[in-house]
Amino acid sequence: DKKRRWHFAVPFVIAGLAFALEFFVQTDKERILAVFNTGIKSFQEQKIELIKEIIAEDYSDVAHDSKELLIAYCQGLFQTAAVEKVTTFSREVRIDRTQGDFIVEAMVKFTEDSEISRMGKSFLIVKAKLHFKKTPQKKWLVCGSEILELDRKPVNWNQLDVH
């Protein structure tokens, strides 16, 4: 009779272990989404240190040859395009071992005192592609980016005044 008393607890133990595993173990997709969310938070709070943490040392894109140039560009955006809120419409994560792409479409709402809002543009719909790489420590970092659309019109870094 004593042997059978603990049998009823087995399903609860299994369920508890499953929830613990889900809570403590992040998938690569979840890690990439967390990096994206950190980037959004950094712009909302205007904390360049958060951006520095999620950008790879060898970052490069068409307009920025280095992490330092991208960081300088982001600091400039803090002045002209202060972000109040970002609402994500769609997102797609593609992962191939140690490389990943994150395509996102979102509405960026600017603060009332940002230069863009004062020019009459309180929000912008942005579609972008972030390129990720996985470090040996299993951390995902942004190693490149592309602006695909602004207000649902195709664009690229070369069309934007980034200097």
Side-chain angles (χ1 to χ4, degrees):
D1 194 31
K2 279 187 175 183
K3 287 183 184 178
R4 294 188 184 161
R5 287 168 81 190
W6 62 269
H7 286 215
F8 80 93
V10 170
F12 296 109
V13 170
I14 292 171
L17 290 172
F19 283 119
L21 185 63
E22 175 70 24
F23 182 76
F24 291 111
V25 177
Q26 276 190 317
T27 64
D28 285 336
K29 181 179 179 180
E30 290 169 329
R31 288 181 178 149
I32 287 174
L33 291 173
V35 170
F36 172 73
N37 290 332
T38 298
I40 297 301
K41 181 180 177 181
S42 70
F43 271 90
Q44 289 174 325
E45 297 177 4
Q46 295 192 352
K47 293 184 177 177
I48 201 69
E49 292 304 317
L50 292 175
I51 294 175
K52 289 178 181 179
E53 291 174 11
I54 63 172
I55 305 295
E57 292 301 322
D58 61 347
Y59 179 92
S60 176
D61 64 44
V62 173
H64 310 98
D65 292 335
S66 67
K67 177 179 180 174
E68 291 74 25
L69 288 174
L70 179 71
I71 297 299
Y73 176 69
C74 291
Q75 285 178 309
L77 283 179
F78 286 169
Q79 307 305 318
T80 59
V83 174
E84 181 177 315
K85 183 179 180 182
V86 175
T87 305
T88 303
F89 296 143
S90 67
R91 61 184 185 206
E92 178 184 351
V93 179
R94 296 181 197 144
I95 299 170
D96 184 20
R97 294 190 184 103
T98 61
Q99 304 291 316
D101 287 327
F102 179 72
I103 301 170
V104 62
E105 184 177 29
M107 181 180 70
V108 179
K109 184 174 185 330
F110 303 106
T111 61
E112 286 182 24
D113 59 339
S114 74
E115 287 183 33
I116 290 183
S117 286
R118 289 190 298 234
M119 291 187 285
K121 190 77 176 160
S122 62
F123 70 91
L124 189 62
I125 297 174
V126 178
K127 185 172 184 179
K129 183 184 223 180
L130 303 176
H131 304 285
F132 285 83
K133 72 175 191 175
K134 191 176 189 179
T135 67
Q137 297 78 27
K138 301 194 185 305
K139 185 176 178 182
W140 287 92
L141 298 174
V142 179
C143 60
S145 63
E146 302 172 53
I147 303 295
L148 303 174
E149 296 178 3
L150 293 176
D151 283 339
R152 301 214 162 111
K153 294 180 182 102
V155 296
N156 62 49
W157 275 122
N158 291 329
Q159 294 173 298
L160 303 174
D161 183 19
V162 294
H163 303 288

